[in-house]
Amino acid sequence: MRSDTIKTGFEKAPHRSLLKATGTIHGKSDYQKPFIGICNSFNELIPGHAHLQELGRIAKEEVRKAGGVPFEFNTIGVCDGIAMGHIGMRYSLASRELIADSVETVAEAHRLDGLVCIPNCDKITPGMMMAALRINIPVIFVSGGPMKAGHTPSGKTVDLISVFEAVGQRSTGEISEEELETIEENACPGCGSCSGMFTANSMNCLSEALGFALPGNGTILAGDPRRNELVREASRRIIDLVEKNVRPRDILSRSALLNAFALDFAMGGSTNTILHTLAIANEAELDFDFSELNGLSAKTPYICKVSPATMDVHIEDVDRAGGISAILHELSKIDGLLDLSVPTVTGKSLGENIKNAEVLNRKVIRSIEDPYSATGGLCVLYGNLAPQGAVIKTGAVSAPMMHHSGPAKVYDSQDDAIAGIMGGDVHSGDVVVIRYEGPKGGPGMPEMLSPTSAIMGRGLGDSVALITDGRFSGGSRGACIGHVSPEAAVKGPIAALRNGDTVTIDIPGRSITMEVSDEEIADRIAGLPAFVPKIRKGYLARYAEMVTSANTGAILKTPVSCEPK
């Protein structure tokens, strides 16, 4: 066992003495058992994580019953909703790297034999996955589960996005202060990851398709007793994975990645999943190119529409309709779309996991013969505005905005854009451009939920598009095009845009262009001053120096001296 390094032999007496002092060692026989890290992201600032301390207790209890010695440790976490719209959002994506590094550090420093990872929100799930693939020891994931949708006293279903959009409605006088307060009080009724197909739930659902989590991981509610049982089952499974030395790189393959992307496209998941899955592929040293995604999207029908694409369906409805296994089973009817032979942490193949799954509600999970659209709910756009690509959640775009051409309204920061939108500077037909908010320029590629919600709340969702080198919350809806690459901070073409330039978006044609000649774009870029970082000290300054483009997953570049020869 890896843990023999810190527990076996007379030379390790000091190590054993320290281990005994933790109170976790219950006798000398424990040194013959595998040491299992319970990697928990519990904290009291994030509603999706506030209950994870109890799940950690259950995991430790079950690991010990199954024959392992559990050691719980924690990672940090950022609540994107609370960090939204201010400097805190610049730390959100950047926290993914800190989480990956911290998991790697604890597991390697203490020579753990395996990990039970208990994440729930946004950057935490992919950060833990990146670490798992980096250190490549047996790991199983079990999330904290989604939040229930909220209901107002009148019976209206609401969620976090309802609150953000209500702020825009309040700014125009469409609703009263009292109506806003009612939505605020009822939108988030308890713990769990926010109730729609936002980034947290998207990643926890993809965990099932990737093979890293048990069926039910993505959809069983946080407060459901089945969630506790899922933790117990996962904690028992890790011992078997350790004994058989089944490691993350034995499970993750190109086929598994394609399975996960197919699920993502079928559900219209958060655009952030593309960012994170590319980063996960990088840690696994799998060669996967951003440009491959449109071909897969073209073959994948959009069969499950969830908030924010529709306010009528939330994750709890998907669970009642059969969950992720039912969606994957439906997709498996398309010849060659999924590779059902890939292994999973259950000890069975993906095909074996889903073979008995049934769709229990066709209003929530449609058949492949009756999809919302024949192609997936996410795609990549290319053109002279985004030569290396830009991402859009097509499933959350209304029909009138599938083709749009209009004058650019350019802002060099999210704050300026919010002020402009809320101040009435944006009008029907405009294309709002928010730049210098990419991985390097932000820094940290902040999400744009506040401006997109303001556009929706002010009634401009069917007439205004938004383009950014930043990114969007999984809760954003409308013609929101993010991840524009190269970003403005490295003098990508988006930096050449000027107010009034015509921007044309053709979502079915997968293109995004500005009606400016190549020569004029080059001249404008040449005339730009050198980019000056917004933050010059601390973690974000170091992050901005090392981070790469969104089309590579916004990973941190390896120093040249460390690259393989």
Side-chain angles (χ1 to χ4, degrees):
M1 290 182 284
R2 274 170 45 107
S3 57
D4 286 346
T5 306
I6 62 168
K7 69 188 184 187
T8 300
F10 73 89
E11 305 94 335
K12 299 303 186 294
H15 304 66
R16 291 193 295 271
S17 185
L18 289 167
L19 287 165
K20 183 180 179 183
T22 68
T24 305
I25 300 298
H26 293 180
K28 290 185 178 180
S29 62
D30 275 0
Y31 296 124
Q32 309 306 314
K33 302 172 183 177
F35 281 8
I36 306 298
I38 309 299
C39 179
N40 199 337
S41 53
F42 161 75
N43 75 52
E44 294 180 334
L45 278 166
I46 310 177
H49 296 240
H51 63 302
L52 298 189
Q53 195 167 37
E54 173 61 15
L55 299 192
R57 185 195 63 77
I58 293 170
K60 287 189 290 184
E61 182 180 274
E62 209 63 38
V63 163
R64 187 165 286 283
K65 285 181 183 176
V69 182
F71 294 87
E72 187 172 16
F73 67 94
N74 287 80
T75 70
I76 64 164
V78 171
C79 177
D80 282 16
I82 296 173
M84 194 69 65
H86 56 86
I87 190 172
M89 178 46 68
R90 304 187 189 284
Y91 285 89
S92 175
L93 179 60
S95 74
R96 186 186 72 185
E97 314 308 316
L98 289 175
I99 291 161
D101 290 351
S102 66
V103 176
E104 174 196 1
T105 299
V106 174
E108 292 286 50
H110 302 96
R111 311 311 294 156
L112 297 175
D113 298 303
L115 294 173
V116 176
C117 287
I118 309 178
N120 215 24
C121 293
D122 299 89
K123 311 310 145 326
I124 295 91
T125 299
M128 288 185 181
M129 284 187 183
M130 290 164 66
L133 288 155
R134 190 183 300 168
I135 60 180
N136 203 32
I137 63 173
V139 177
I140 193 166
F141 281 75
V142 57
S143 76
M147 182 188 295
K148 290 185 67 174
H151 299 279
T152 65
S154 66
K156 180 183 178 182
T157 302
V158 289
D159 58 25
L160 178 65
I161 307 312
S162 308
V163 191
F164 273 98
E165 293 185 2
V167 171
Q169 294 170 323
R170 179 71 191 98
S171 73
T172 64
E174 183 180 339
I175 63 173
S176 67
E177 189 69 31
E178 292 75 18
E179 289 172 304
L180 173 58
E181 186 175 342
T182 296
I183 296 171
E184 174 189 337
E185 289 294 318
N186 292 282
C188 299
C191 66
S193 46
C194 296
S195 55
M197 198 62 186
F198 315 146
T199 308
N201 290 329
S202 295
M203 286 306 305
N204 290 330
C205 290
L206 262 60
S207 299
E208 296 186 38
L210 289 169
F212 289 150
L214 301 174
N217 181 72
T219 60
I220 297 173
L221 287 177
D224 191 318
R226 292 180 299 150
R227 175 61 56 179
N228 291 356
E229 184 51 43
L230 198 70
V231 175
R232 292 188 181 94
E233 186 179 351
S235 302
R236 291 190 292 267
R237 283 294 309 152
I238 190 61
I239 302 302
D240 188 59
L241 294 171
V242 169
E243 289 176 350
K244 294 177 179 175
N245 196 27
V246 178
R247 296 172 294 173
R249 293 196 189 191
D250 298 325
I251 291 173
L252 190 68
S253 60
R254 276 183 56 83
S255 293
L257 282 171
L258 291 169
N259 287 344
F261 277 124
L263 172 66
D264 205 16
F265 297 153
M267 297 188 75
S270 165
T271 52
N272 285 319
T273 55
I274 294 178
L275 198 70
H276 297 322
T277 308
L278 290 173
I280 289 164
N282 175 72
E283 291 290 354
E285 299 180 276
L286 290 173
D287 186 21
F288 194 90
D289 194 273
F290 194 52
S291 62
E292 297 179 54
L293 296 176
N294 280 345
L296 180 62
S297 182
K299 298 187 293 184
T300 307
Y302 182 26
I303 61 173
C304 184
K305 184 177 286 193
V306 187
S307 173
T310 173
M311 293 307 295
D312 297 330
V313 178
H314 289 81
I315 295 295
E316 62 201 79
D317 302 304
V318 178
D319 188 57
R320 286 192 289 263
I324 299 307
S325 290
I327 296 172
L328 290 171
H329 187 264
E330 186 67 25
L331 293 178
S332 72
K333 298 174 183 177
I334 301 172
D335 188 41
L337 181 63
L338 300 180
D339 183 345
L340 300 180
S341 69
V342 295
T344 72
V345 291
T346 66
K348 302 175 183 177
S349 68
L350 182 69
E352 290 173 305
N353 287 347
I354 67 173
K355 67 179 180 180
N356 296 320
E358 296 180 21
V359 176
L360 305 176
N361 185 340
R362 285 295 183 187
K363 292 181 179 179
V364 175
I365 302 173
R366 291 191 175 186
S367 69
I368 58 172
E369 293 82 17
D370 180 35
Y372 289 100
S373 69
T375 57
L378 294 167
C379 74
V380 182
L381 308 182
Y382 291 94
N384 67 349
L385 186 52
Q388 294 175 356
V391 179
I392 184 166
K393 187 174 188 172
T394 56
V397 180
S398 63
M401 295 302 293
M402 287 292 178
H403 298 86
H404 183 77
S405 188
K409 190 68 64 81
V410 182
Y411 299 96
D412 285 346
S413 74
Q414 180 178 190
D415 291 347
D416 289 348
I418 293 171
I421 296 165
M422 298 294 276
D425 293 340
V426 173
H427 306 286
S428 178
D430 286 346
V431 177
V432 174
V433 178
I434 308 177
R435 63 190 180 188
Y436 295 102
E437 296 286 18
K440 189 177 292 291
M445 206 179 178
E447 290 182 344
M448 304 291 163
L449 182 56
S450 293
T452 59
S453 297
I455 287 171
M456 283 292 174
R458 295 178 71 84
L460 297 170
D462 286 340
S463 61
V464 169
L466 194 154
I467 297 170
T468 181
D469 54 6
R471 61 196 178 93
F472 295 108
S473 162
S476 290
R477 62 190 179 104
C480 306
I481 300 164
H483 306 201
V484 170
S485 299
E487 62 175 298
V490 297
K491 296 191 175 182
I494 190 173
L497 266 175
R498 294 177 180 172
N499 282 319
D501 288 343
T502 299
V503 174
T504 300
I505 301 160
D506 179 3
I507 295 174
R510 305 299 192 244
S511 71
I512 178 169
T513 57
M514 53 177 168
E515 294 184 18
V516 180
S517 70
D518 291 345
E519 294 77 15
E520 176 66 14
I521 291 172
D523 286 345
R524 291 183 187 181
I525 292 291
L528 291 173
F531 172 70
V532 177
K534 295 172 185 159
I535 295 177
R536 310 295 289 274
K537 62 180 181 179
Y539 173 56
L540 286 183
R542 299 194 301 275
Y543 176 86
E545 182 65 24
M546 297 178 68
V547 73
T548 63
S549 175
N551 69 298
T552 63
I555 58 174
L556 299 187
K557 61 188 175 187
T558 302
V560 173
S561 60
C562 297
E563 290 178 352
K565 301 297 182 185

